[in-house]
PDB file of all heavy atoms in Angstrom:
ATOM      1  N   MET A   1     -14.616  34.052   5.049  1.00 73.00           N
ATOM      2  CA  MET A   1     -14.678  34.902   6.211  1.00 73.00           C
ATOM      3  C   MET A   1     -16.043  34.699   6.865  1.00 73.00           C
ATOM      4  O   MET A   1     -17.057  34.668   6.195  1.00 73.00           O
ATOM      5  CB  MET A   1     -14.470  36.359   5.764  1.00 73.00           C
ATOM      6  CG  MET A   1     -14.350  37.313   6.896  1.00 73.00           C
ATOM      7  SD  MET A   1     -14.074  39.039   6.401  1.00 73.00           S
ATOM      8  CE  MET A   1     -12.372  39.013   5.934  1.00 73.00           C
ATOM      9  N   ASP A   2     -16.068  34.598   8.172  1.00 81.00           N
ATOM     10  CA  ASP A   2     -17.344  34.381   8.856  1.00 81.00           C
ATOM     11  C   ASP A   2     -18.163  35.675   8.914  1.00 81.00           C
ATOM     12  O   ASP A   2     -17.675  36.756   8.613  1.00 81.00           O
ATOM     13  CB  ASP A   2     -17.119  33.794  10.243  1.00 81.00           C
ATOM     14  CG  ASP A   2     -16.434  34.755  11.199  1.00 81.00           C
ATOM     15  OD1 ASP A   2     -15.702  35.636  10.718  1.00 81.00           O
ATOM     16  OD2 ASP A   2     -16.644  34.621  12.415  1.00 81.00           O
ATOM     17  N   ARG A   3     -19.410  35.549   9.318  1.00 82.00           N
ATOM     18  CA  ARG A   3     -20.351  36.668   9.308  1.00 82.00           C
ATOM     19  C   ARG A   3     -19.917  37.804  10.227  1.00 82.00           C
ATOM     20  O   ARG A   3     -19.958  38.969   9.851  1.00 82.00           O
ATOM     21  CB  ARG A   3     -21.731  36.161   9.715  1.00 82.00           C
ATOM     22  CG  ARG A   3     -22.826  37.196   9.599  1.00 82.00           C
ATOM     23  CD  ARG A   3     -24.134  36.695  10.182  1.00 82.00           C
ATOM     24  NE  ARG A   3     -24.097  36.499  11.611  1.00 82.00           N
ATOM     25  CZ  ARG A   3     -24.183  37.479  12.507  1.00 82.00           C
ATOM     26  NH1 ARG A   3     -24.308  38.714  12.123  1.00 82.00           N
ATOM     27  NH2 ARG A   3     -24.139  37.205  13.798  1.00 82.00           N
ATOM     28  N   LYS A   4     -19.474  37.459  11.424  1.00 85.00           N
ATOM     29  CA  LYS A   4     -19.081  38.469  12.404  1.00 85.00           C
ATOM     30  C   LYS A   4     -17.905  39.299  11.899  1.00 85.00           C
ATOM     31  O   LYS A   4     -17.932  40.532  11.954  1.00 85.00           O
ATOM     32  CB  LYS A   4     -18.726  37.782  13.723  1.00 85.00           C
ATOM     33  CG  LYS A   4     -18.419  38.707  14.853  1.00 85.00           C
ATOM     34  CD  LYS A   4     -18.192  37.885  16.117  1.00 85.00           C
ATOM     35  CE  LYS A   4     -17.891  38.725  17.300  1.00 85.00           C
ATOM     36  NZ  LYS A   4     -17.708  37.928  18.514  1.00 85.00           N
ATOM     37  N   ALA A   5     -16.890  38.640  11.362  1.00 87.00           N
ATOM     38  CA  ALA A   5     -15.724  39.350  10.837  1.00 87.00           C
ATOM     39  C   ALA A   5     -16.098  40.190   9.616  1.00 87.00           C
ATOM     40  O   ALA A   5     -15.593  41.306   9.449  1.00 87.00           O
ATOM     41  CB  ALA A   5     -14.625  38.358  10.480  1.00 87.00           C
ATOM     42  N   SER A   6     -16.985  39.669   8.788  1.00 87.00           N
ATOM     43  CA  SER A   6     -17.421  40.417   7.607  1.00 87.00           C
ATOM     44  C   SER A   6     -18.137  41.702   8.009  1.00 87.00           C
ATOM     45  O   SER A   6     -17.906  42.762   7.426  1.00 87.00           O
ATOM     46  CB  SER A   6     -18.347  39.568   6.743  1.00 87.00           C
ATOM     47  OG  SER A   6     -17.682  38.453   6.251  1.00 87.00           O
ATOM     48  N   LEU A   7     -19.006  41.606   9.013  1.00 87.00           N
ATOM     49  CA  LEU A   7     -19.720  42.793   9.471  1.00 87.00           C
ATOM     50  C   LEU A   7     -18.771  43.822  10.068  1.00 87.00           C
ATOM     51  O   LEU A   7     -18.928  45.022   9.849  1.00 87.00           O
ATOM     52  CB  LEU A   7     -20.788  42.401  10.492  1.00 87.00           C
ATOM     53  CG  LEU A   7     -21.972  41.609   9.947  1.00 87.00           C
ATOM     54  CD1 LEU A   7     -22.892  41.177  11.083  1.00 87.00           C
ATOM     55  CD2 LEU A   7     -22.732  42.406   8.916  1.00 87.00           C
ATOM     56  N   ILE A   8     -17.775  43.366  10.808  1.00 87.00           N
ATOM     57  CA  ILE A   8     -16.796  44.291  11.387  1.00 87.00           C
ATOM     58  C   ILE A   8     -16.021  45.000  10.283  1.00 87.00           C
ATOM     59  O   ILE A   8     -15.803  46.216  10.337  1.00 87.00           O
ATOM     60  CB  ILE A   8     -15.854  43.546  12.357  1.00 87.00           C
ATOM     61  CG1 ILE A   8     -16.641  43.133  13.609  1.00 87.00           C
ATOM     62  CG2 ILE A   8     -14.659  44.408  12.732  1.00 87.00           C
ATOM     63  CD1 ILE A   8     -15.875  42.239  14.557  1.00 87.00           C
ATOM     64  N   VAL A   9     -15.614  44.269   9.254  1.00 89.00           N
ATOM     65  CA  VAL A   9     -14.865  44.877   8.147  1.00 89.00           C
ATOM     66  C   VAL A   9     -15.739  45.878   7.397  1.00 89.00           C
ATOM     67  O   VAL A   9     -15.274  46.962   7.022  1.00 89.00           O
ATOM     68  CB  VAL A   9     -14.314  43.796   7.196  1.00 89.00           C
ATOM     69  CG1 VAL A   9     -13.758  44.406   5.931  1.00 89.00           C
ATOM     70  CG2 VAL A   9     -13.245  42.970   7.897  1.00 89.00           C
ATOM     71  N   VAL A  10     -17.004  45.539   7.178  1.00 87.00           N
ATOM     72  CA  VAL A  10     -17.899  46.462   6.471  1.00 87.00           C
ATOM     73  C   VAL A  10     -18.070  47.746   7.268  1.00 87.00           C
ATOM     74  O   VAL A  10     -18.002  48.849   6.708  1.00 87.00           O
ATOM     75  CB  VAL A  10     -19.269  45.796   6.192  1.00 87.00           C
ATOM     76  CG1 VAL A  10     -20.288  46.823   5.746  1.00 87.00           C
ATOM     77  CG2 VAL A  10     -19.128  44.722   5.136  1.00 87.00           C
ATOM     78  N   HIS A  11     -18.251  47.648   8.581  1.00 84.00           N
ATOM     79  CA  HIS A  11     -18.387  48.854   9.401  1.00 84.00           C
ATOM     80  C   HIS A  11     -17.074  49.628   9.476  1.00 84.00           C
ATOM     81  O   HIS A  11     -17.086  50.856   9.452  1.00 84.00           O
ATOM     82  CB  HIS A  11     -18.860  48.501  10.809  1.00 84.00           C
ATOM     83  CG  HIS A  11     -20.275  48.042  10.872  1.00 84.00           C
ATOM     84  ND1 HIS A  11     -21.341  48.812  10.472  1.00 84.00           N
ATOM     85  CD2 HIS A  11     -20.817  46.878  11.287  1.00 84.00           C
ATOM     86  CE1 HIS A  11     -22.459  48.158  10.641  1.00 84.00           C
ATOM     87  NE2 HIS A  11     -22.176  46.964  11.128  1.00 84.00           N
ATOM     88  N   ALA A  12     -15.961  48.937   9.566  1.00 88.00           N
ATOM     89  CA  ALA A  12     -14.660  49.598   9.674  1.00 88.00           C
ATOM     90  C   ALA A  12     -14.207  50.204   8.356  1.00 88.00           C
ATOM     91  O   ALA A  12     -13.271  50.996   8.332  1.00 88.00           O
ATOM     92  CB  ALA A  12     -13.613  48.610  10.174  1.00 88.00           C
ATOM     93  N   SER A  13     -14.862  49.866   7.268  1.00 86.00           N
ATOM     94  CA  SER A  13     -14.465  50.405   5.967  1.00 86.00           C
ATOM     95  C   SER A  13     -14.608  51.913   5.904  1.00 86.00           C
ATOM     96  O   SER A  13     -14.022  52.555   5.032  1.00 86.00           O
ATOM     97  CB  SER A  13     -15.291  49.761   4.855  1.00 86.00           C
ATOM     98  OG  SER A  13     -16.633  50.214   4.910  1.00 86.00           O
ATOM     99  N   ALA A  14     -15.349  52.510   6.818  1.00 83.00           N
ATOM    100  CA  ALA A  14     -15.512  53.963   6.848  1.00 83.00           C
ATOM    101  C   ALA A  14     -14.175  54.671   7.008  1.00 83.00           C
ATOM    102  O   ALA A  14     -14.023  55.811   6.581  1.00 83.00           O
ATOM    103  CB  ALA A  14     -16.428  54.364   7.993  1.00 83.00           C
ATOM    104  N   PHE A  15     -13.196  53.987   7.562  1.00 86.00           N
ATOM    105  CA  PHE A  15     -11.920  54.623   7.853  1.00 86.00           C
ATOM    106  C   PHE A  15     -10.854  54.391   6.784  1.00 86.00           C
ATOM    107  O   PHE A  15      -9.815  55.028   6.826  1.00 86.00           O
ATOM    108  CB  PHE A  15     -11.406  54.148   9.217  1.00 86.00           C
ATOM    109  CG  PHE A  15     -12.412  54.386  10.302  1.00 86.00           C
ATOM    110  CD1 PHE A  15     -13.035  53.336  10.933  1.00 86.00           C
ATOM    111  CD2 PHE A  15     -12.755  55.667  10.671  1.00 86.00           C
ATOM    112  CE1 PHE A  15     -13.978  53.546  11.922  1.00 86.00           C
ATOM    113  CE2 PHE A  15     -13.703  55.903  11.657  1.00 86.00           C
ATOM    114  CZ  PHE A  15     -14.302  54.831  12.286  1.00 86.00           C
ATOM    115  N   PHE A  16     -11.102  53.465   5.833  1.00 86.00           N
ATOM    116  CA  PHE A  16     -10.071  53.257   4.823  1.00 86.00           C
ATOM    117  C   PHE A  16     -10.588  53.112   3.400  1.00 86.00           C
ATOM    118  O   PHE A  16      -9.850  53.403   2.472  1.00 86.00           O
ATOM    119  CB  PHE A  16      -9.155  52.061   5.180  1.00 86.00           C
ATOM    120  CG  PHE A  16      -9.874  50.779   5.450  1.00 86.00           C
ATOM    121  CD1 PHE A  16     -10.121  49.880   4.445  1.00 86.00           C
ATOM    122  CD2 PHE A  16     -10.300  50.469   6.731  1.00 86.00           C
ATOM    123  CE1 PHE A  16     -10.780  48.702   4.689  1.00 86.00           C
ATOM    124  CE2 PHE A  16     -10.951  49.286   6.999  1.00 86.00           C
ATOM    125  CZ  PHE A  16     -11.194  48.398   5.978  1.00 86.00           C
ATOM    126  N   ILE A  21     -15.122  48.924  -0.172  1.00 90.00           N
ATOM    127  CA  ILE A  21     -15.282  47.718   0.634  1.00 90.00           C
ATOM    128  C   ILE A  21     -16.746  47.258   0.706  1.00 90.00           C
ATOM    129  O   ILE A  21     -17.019  46.073   0.489  1.00 90.00           O
ATOM    130  CB  ILE A  21     -14.681  47.905   2.045  1.00 90.00           C
ATOM    131  CG1 ILE A  21     -13.179  48.182   1.957  1.00 90.00           C
ATOM    132  CG2 ILE A  21     -14.948  46.695   2.929  1.00 90.00           C
ATOM    133  CD1 ILE A  21     -12.362  47.097   1.329  1.00 90.00           C
ATOM    134  N   PHE A  25     -18.076  43.571  -0.712  1.00 90.00           N
ATOM    135  CA  PHE A  25     -18.846  42.610   0.094  1.00 90.00           C
ATOM    136  C   PHE A  25     -20.244  42.401  -0.476  1.00 90.00           C
ATOM    137  O   PHE A  25     -20.805  41.318  -0.357  1.00 90.00           O
ATOM    138  CB  PHE A  25     -18.917  43.058   1.554  1.00 90.00           C
ATOM    139  CG  PHE A  25     -17.755  42.590   2.360  1.00 90.00           C
ATOM    140  CD1 PHE A  25     -16.629  43.376   2.500  1.00 90.00           C
ATOM    141  CD2 PHE A  25     -17.776  41.353   2.977  1.00 90.00           C
ATOM    142  CE1 PHE A  25     -15.550  42.943   3.229  1.00 90.00           C
ATOM    143  CE2 PHE A  25     -16.707  40.912   3.710  1.00 90.00           C
ATOM    144  CZ  PHE A  25     -15.581  41.699   3.835  1.00 90.00           C
ATOM    145  N   VAL A  34     -25.087  40.164   5.674  1.00 87.00           N
ATOM    146  CA  VAL A  34     -23.895  40.934   5.336  1.00 87.00           C
ATOM    147  C   VAL A  34     -24.189  41.832   4.137  1.00 87.00           C
ATOM    148  O   VAL A  34     -23.755  42.987   4.094  1.00 87.00           O
ATOM    149  CB  VAL A  34     -22.694  39.995   5.064  1.00 87.00           C
ATOM    150  CG1 VAL A  34     -21.488  40.778   4.585  1.00 87.00           C
ATOM    151  CG2 VAL A  34     -22.343  39.213   6.315  1.00 87.00           C
ATOM    152  N   PHE A  37     -26.156  44.858   5.365  1.00 86.00           N
ATOM    153  CA  PHE A  37     -25.300  45.820   6.053  1.00 86.00           C
ATOM    154  C   PHE A  37     -24.338  46.503   5.086  1.00 86.00           C
ATOM    155  O   PHE A  37     -24.002  47.669   5.272  1.00 86.00           O
ATOM    156  CB  PHE A  37     -24.535  45.159   7.194  1.00 86.00           C
ATOM    157  CG  PHE A  37     -25.363  45.022   8.433  1.00 86.00           C
ATOM    158  CD1 PHE A  37     -25.793  43.781   8.853  1.00 86.00           C
ATOM    159  CD2 PHE A  37     -25.733  46.125   9.173  1.00 86.00           C
ATOM    160  CE1 PHE A  37     -26.577  43.645   9.986  1.00 86.00           C
ATOM    161  CE2 PHE A  37     -26.514  46.013  10.309  1.00 86.00           C
ATOM    162  CZ  PHE A  37     -26.931  44.764  10.709  1.00 86.00           C
ATOM    163  N   PRO A  79     -19.995  54.397  12.485  1.00 88.00           N
ATOM    164  CA  PRO A  79     -19.225  53.189  12.144  1.00 88.00           C
ATOM    165  C   PRO A  79     -18.588  52.523  13.364  1.00 88.00           C
ATOM    166  O   PRO A  79     -18.552  51.296  13.454  1.00 88.00           O
ATOM    167  CB  PRO A  79     -18.168  53.697  11.170  1.00 88.00           C
ATOM    168  CG  PRO A  79     -18.789  54.878  10.529  1.00 88.00           C
ATOM    169  CD  PRO A  79     -19.585  55.524  11.634  1.00 88.00           C
ATOM    170  N   GLY A  82     -21.232  50.633  15.021  1.00 87.00           N
ATOM    171  CA  GLY A  82     -21.508  49.420  14.251  1.00 87.00           C
ATOM    172  C   GLY A  82     -20.476  48.338  14.497  1.00 87.00           C
ATOM    173  O   GLY A  82     -20.815  47.152  14.571  1.00 87.00           O
ATOM    174  N   ILE A  83     -19.216  48.716  14.617  1.00 88.00           N
ATOM    175  CA  ILE A  83     -18.150  47.755  14.908  1.00 88.00           C
ATOM    176  C   ILE A  83     -18.383  47.108  16.271  1.00 88.00           C
ATOM    177  O   ILE A  83     -18.270  45.887  16.429  1.00 88.00           O
ATOM    178  CB  ILE A  83     -16.767  48.434  14.850  1.00 88.00           C
ATOM    179  CG1 ILE A  83     -16.423  48.845  13.419  1.00 88.00           C
ATOM    180  CG2 ILE A  83     -15.680  47.526  15.412  1.00 88.00           C
ATOM    181  CD1 ILE A  83     -15.219  49.760  13.316  1.00 88.00           C
ATOM    182  N   ILE A  84     -18.723  47.930  17.259  1.00 90.00           N
ATOM    183  CA  ILE A  84     -18.961  47.413  18.604  1.00 90.00           C
ATOM    184  C   ILE A  84     -20.149  46.454  18.606  1.00 90.00           C
ATOM    185  O   ILE A  84     -20.083  45.368  19.184  1.00 90.00           O
ATOM    186  CB  ILE A  84     -19.174  48.575  19.602  1.00 90.00           C
ATOM    187  CG1 ILE A  84     -17.874  49.365  19.765  1.00 90.00           C
ATOM    188  CG2 ILE A  84     -19.676  48.064  20.942  1.00 90.00           C
ATOM    189  CD1 ILE A  84     -18.035  50.681  20.488  1.00 90.00           C
ATOM    190  N   TYR A  85     -21.241  46.829  17.944  1.00 89.00           N
ATOM    191  CA  TYR A  85     -22.412  45.969  17.887  1.00 89.00           C
ATOM    192  C   TYR A  85     -22.108  44.674  17.138  1.00 89.00           C
ATOM    193  O   TYR A  85     -22.571  43.609  17.531  1.00 89.00           O
ATOM    194  CB  TYR A  85     -23.579  46.698  17.224  1.00 89.00           C
ATOM    195  CG  TYR A  85     -24.396  47.563  18.157  1.00 89.00           C
ATOM    196  CD1 TYR A  85     -23.775  48.459  19.024  1.00 89.00           C
ATOM    197  CD2 TYR A  85     -25.774  47.496  18.161  1.00 89.00           C
ATOM    198  CE1 TYR A  85     -24.513  49.255  19.862  1.00 89.00           C
ATOM    199  CE2 TYR A  85     -26.517  48.297  18.998  1.00 89.00           C
ATOM    200  CZ  TYR A  85     -25.880  49.178  19.856  1.00 89.00           C
ATOM    201  OH  TYR A  85     -26.620  49.953  20.700  1.00 89.00           O
ATOM    202  N   ALA A  86     -21.358  44.755  16.045  1.00 89.00           N
ATOM    203  CA  ALA A  86     -21.028  43.547  15.283  1.00 89.00           C
ATOM    204  C   ALA A  86     -20.137  42.620  16.096  1.00 89.00           C
ATOM    205  O   ALA A  86     -20.286  41.396  16.045  1.00 89.00           O
ATOM    206  CB  ALA A  86     -20.339  43.923  13.976  1.00 89.00           C
ATOM    207  N   ALA A  87     -19.222  43.187  16.876  1.00 89.00           N
ATOM    208  CA  ALA A  87     -18.346  42.355  17.707  1.00 89.00           C
ATOM    209  C   ALA A  87     -19.128  41.647  18.807  1.00 89.00           C
ATOM    210  O   ALA A  87     -18.751  40.566  19.250  1.00 89.00           O
ATOM    211  CB  ALA A  87     -17.238  43.206  18.318  1.00 89.00           C
ATOM    212  N   GLN A  88     -20.232  42.250  19.236  1.00 90.00           N
ATOM    213  CA  GLN A  88     -21.060  41.655  20.279  1.00 90.00           C
ATOM    214  C   GLN A  88     -22.213  40.830  19.701  1.00 90.00           C
ATOM    215  O   GLN A  88     -23.079  40.392  20.438  1.00 90.00           O
ATOM    216  CB  GLN A  88     -21.634  42.755  21.175  1.00 90.00           C
ATOM    217  CG  GLN A  88     -20.592  43.529  21.933  1.00 90.00           C
ATOM    218  CD  GLN A  88     -21.179  44.725  22.664  1.00 90.00           C
ATOM    219  OE1 GLN A  88     -22.325  45.110  22.453  1.00 90.00           O
ATOM    220  NE2 GLN A  88     -20.380  45.326  23.530  1.00 90.00           N
ATOM    221  N   ASP A  89     -22.262  40.649  18.400  1.00 86.00           N
ATOM    222  CA  ASP A  89     -23.338  39.924  17.701  1.00 86.00           C
ATOM    223  C   ASP A  89     -24.713  40.519  17.975  1.00 86.00           C
ATOM    224  O   ASP A  89     -25.700  39.800  18.109  1.00 86.00           O
ATOM    225  CB  ASP A  89     -23.339  38.435  18.070  1.00 86.00           C
ATOM    226  CG  ASP A  89     -22.284  37.659  17.317  1.00 86.00           C
ATOM    227  OD1 ASP A  89     -21.903  38.096  16.215  1.00 86.00           O
ATOM    228  OD2 ASP A  89     -21.849  36.619  17.823  1.00 86.00           O
ATOM    229  N   TYR A  94     -27.740  51.493  10.425  1.00 81.00           N
ATOM    230  CA  TYR A  94     -27.343  52.890  10.357  1.00 81.00           C
ATOM    231  C   TYR A  94     -28.583  53.779  10.427  1.00 81.00           C
ATOM    232  O   TYR A  94     -29.634  53.421   9.897  1.00 81.00           O
ATOM    233  CB  TYR A  94     -26.587  53.170   9.056  1.00 81.00           C
ATOM    234  CG  TYR A  94     -25.162  52.711   9.082  1.00 81.00           C
ATOM    235  CD1 TYR A  94     -24.781  51.532   8.473  1.00 81.00           C
ATOM    236  CD2 TYR A  94     -24.192  53.467   9.718  1.00 81.00           C
ATOM    237  CE1 TYR A  94     -23.471  51.113   8.496  1.00 81.00           C
ATOM    238  CE2 TYR A  94     -22.880  53.052   9.749  1.00 81.00           C
ATOM    239  CZ  TYR A  94     -22.518  51.881   9.139  1.00 81.00           C
ATOM    240  OH  TYR A  94     -21.224  51.474   9.167  1.00 81.00           O
TER     241      TYR A  94
END
Side-chain angles (χ1 to χ4, degrees):
M1 187 179 284
D2 67 334
R3 186 187 67 78
K4 185 176 181 179
S6 297
L7 291 175
I8 290 172
V9 170
V10 167
H11 289 300
S13 70
F15 305 112
F16 54 91
I21 298 299
F25 273 92
V34 175
F37 279 110
I83 292 168
I84 293 168
Y85 275 48
Q88 296 172 349
D89 281 334
Y94 282 101

